[in-house]
Amino acid sequence: MRTIDWDEDSAAVRLIDQTRLPIDYEVLYCERVDELIAAIKELKVRGAPALGVAGALGVVLACKTATSKDEFERSIEQLKKSRPTAVNLFYGIERAYRAAKRGATRDERERLALAEAKKLIEEDITVNRRIGDYGSELLEDGDVVLTHCNAGRLACVDWGTALGVIRTAVLRGKHIEVIACETRPLNQGSRLTTWELMQDKIPVTLITDSMSAVVMRAGMVNRVIVGADRIVKDGVINKIGTYMHAILAREHGIPFYVAAPTSSFDLEHSCEEIEIEERSPREIIYCGNTQIAPANVRVYNPAFDFTPFELIEAIITEKGIFRRPFKRI
Ligand code: MRU
């Protein structure tokens, strides 16, 4: 099943609830834009390309449910505020919003926004396949790839970016193994990346984030591939922990690659101009429902970090591979 899609029968957004994996596989239907906004905030749907599609489909729901122009505009503003960092969310909203604006009636606006959202859904799959085609050339038979967070099919509509590169290489007959970092505090690596790869029977070993230096030093890894939430003019913003792996990869002479669609590029801005989402202290004080730190401890919980271009060997996109010093970007 696709991670996120439009369900014709119920006229709703259908998505895999990623907060339930890997224990339960549950499908969620959002008929109203406020339900979808809640799902985005709670990371039931997450990952930059999937957020782009969620943004576009959110516009469709806003067209469907709003009873006035004001209410429609308010819903769009709420949708934009659901998460601040991944640029794809704004890209998806903008595309469907512009399409909707061309309609004269509510029905027409909804139809046009839906047509645009469906286009984006199909594009996401094609783009990821192309990223896989280009990126798989960088992998050799026998490689062990370290990855962080989840940049797989669960972060997109299907196939994935970083994991899409690995999937394509495997499809082409290369034996590739993966080391997945757990990705504290929300564990997208241990919950989602391992689950996804095991479904596809791609060998995966789970480590905690703090073990990456040890596995690199021991020669257990020879490539790092991650996704991106936003590629700005001075580097890449991605899940917290990415920067640490990039520094370690440089120290150990291991190539560090980023795989992302060009819809994740925002070359107008630099890193310090982008809001890095800070999430609730609860995510660190608790592990699931178990308290693991004093309830009132001061917490710092940024969801993303910034990796400068000089630590990145290549960026794999659907338009080809860009190599350092990234003159063509
Ligand atoms: O907070 P999340 O789970 O939405 O963060 C996701 C990531 O950081 C991914 O690495 C990124 O979106 C790329 S997904 C292809």
Side-chain angles (χ1 to χ4, degrees):
M1 186 188 135
R2 290 175 172 184
T3 299
I4 179 165
D5 207 348
W6 179 254
D7 185 67
E8 298 290 351
D9 295 339
S10 55
V13 177
R14 183 181 63 223
L15 54 94
I16 299 171
D17 181 349
Q18 298 191 37
T19 58
R20 309 288 301 159
L21 287 170
I23 313 295
D24 297 309
Y25 184 96
E26 279 182 16
V27 177
L28 185 73
Y29 292 82
C30 299
E31 290 178 11
R32 299 173 47 84
V33 66
D34 52 323
E35 291 167 354
L36 183 63
I37 290 171
I40 294 171
K41 287 183 176 169
E42 289 163 28
L43 270 60
K44 288 176 194 273
V45 57
R46 35 79 35 210
L51 288 174
V53 170
L57 290 172
V59 175
V60 179
L61 294 182
C63 291
K64 202 175 90 160
T65 45
T67 52
S68 67
K69 186 176 175 309
D70 276 2
E71 195 187 334
F72 172 69
E73 296 295 341
R74 270 202 305 277
S75 297
I76 302 300
E77 284 316 303
Q78 291 307 312
L79 197 55
K80 283 185 184 164
K81 284 190 191 137
S82 56
R83 290 194 77 190
T85 308
V87 72
N88 306 62
L89 175 70
F90 306 97
Y91 172 80
I93 294 173
E94 189 58 29
R95 272 186 58 170
Y97 179 78
R98 272 205 213 148
K101 282 286 187 189
R102 290 197 292 271
T105 62
R106 194 166 104 163
D107 281 357
E108 213 181 350
R109 282 193 285 276
E110 187 184 331
R111 189 177 54 74
L112 290 168
L114 182 57
E116 190 64 23
K118 284 183 178 171
K119 211 165 124 194
L120 187 60
I121 288 169
E122 299 310 319
E123 271 173 30
D124 181 81
I125 299 169
T126 315
V127 158
N128 286 339
R129 288 288 190 155
R130 285 211 193 111
I131 291 174
D133 289 342
Y134 283 117
S136 61
E137 296 301 316
L138 296 172
L139 297 186
E140 285 169 23
D141 192 30
D143 274 351
V144 181
V145 181
L146 182 139
T147 191
H148 190 69
C149 194
N150 172 267
R153 58 164 47 105
L154 288 166
C156 305
V157 176
D158 200 359
W159 205 246
T161 57
L163 298 192
V165 167
I166 293 163
R167 280 200 169 93
T168 305
V170 169
L171 198 70
R172 292 184 178 169
K174 295 177 187 174
H175 180 83
I176 308 291
E177 300 206 1
V178 178
I179 293 195
C181 297
E182 68 172 346
T183 319
R184 280 283 291 148
L186 293 181
N187 295 74
Q188 290 91 332
S190 55
R191 292 187 301 105
L192 307 175
T193 295
T194 54
W195 181 82
E196 244 198 80
L197 292 171
M198 287 170 79
Q199 297 269 311
D200 281 6
K201 303 204 170 6
I202 296 174
V204 56
T205 303
L206 174 64
I207 62 169
T208 68
D209 302 333
S210 52
M211 292 171 190
S212 81
V214 165
V215 298
M216 287 189 199
R217 192 176 164 88
M220 292 165 70
V221 169
N222 52 355
R223 300 270 186 273
V224 179
I225 313 181
V226 296
D229 287 89
R230 197 185 282 240
I231 299 180
V232 286
K233 62 178 163 199
D234 42 359
V236 171
I237 296 171
N238 191 48
K239 178 54 58 193
I240 190 78
T242 302
Y243 178 46
M244 171 182 79
H245 300 309
I247 294 171
L248 291 170
R250 166 61 55 86
E251 179 67 22
H252 294 92
I254 297 167
F256 184 95
Y257 303 131
V258 172
T262 50
S263 55
S264 297
F265 282 64
D266 171 16
L267 302 179
E268 301 294 304
H269 295 105
S270 56
C271 151
E272 63 272 18
E273 293 172 300
I274 305 305
E275 181 182 344
I276 299 293
E277 178 180 8
E278 275 193 44
R279 296 187 58 87
S280 163
R282 202 193 143 86
E283 292 177 354
I284 296 189
I285 294 174
Y286 286 80
C287 188
N289 288 325
T290 307
Q291 190 178 331
I292 55 169
N296 53 354
V297 68
R298 191 165 62 207
V299 164
Y300 175 51
N301 185 18
F304 302 98
D305 64 22
F306 170 74
T307 301
F309 282 138
E310 61 259 28
L311 294 176
I312 299 167
E313 189 77 20
I315 300 178
I316 308 156
T317 75
E318 77 278 16
K319 296 196 173 150
I321 297 174
F322 298 87
R323 290 175 189 274
R324 207 178 48 234
F326 303 115
K327 285 206 179 86
R328 289 171 59 201
I329 289 185

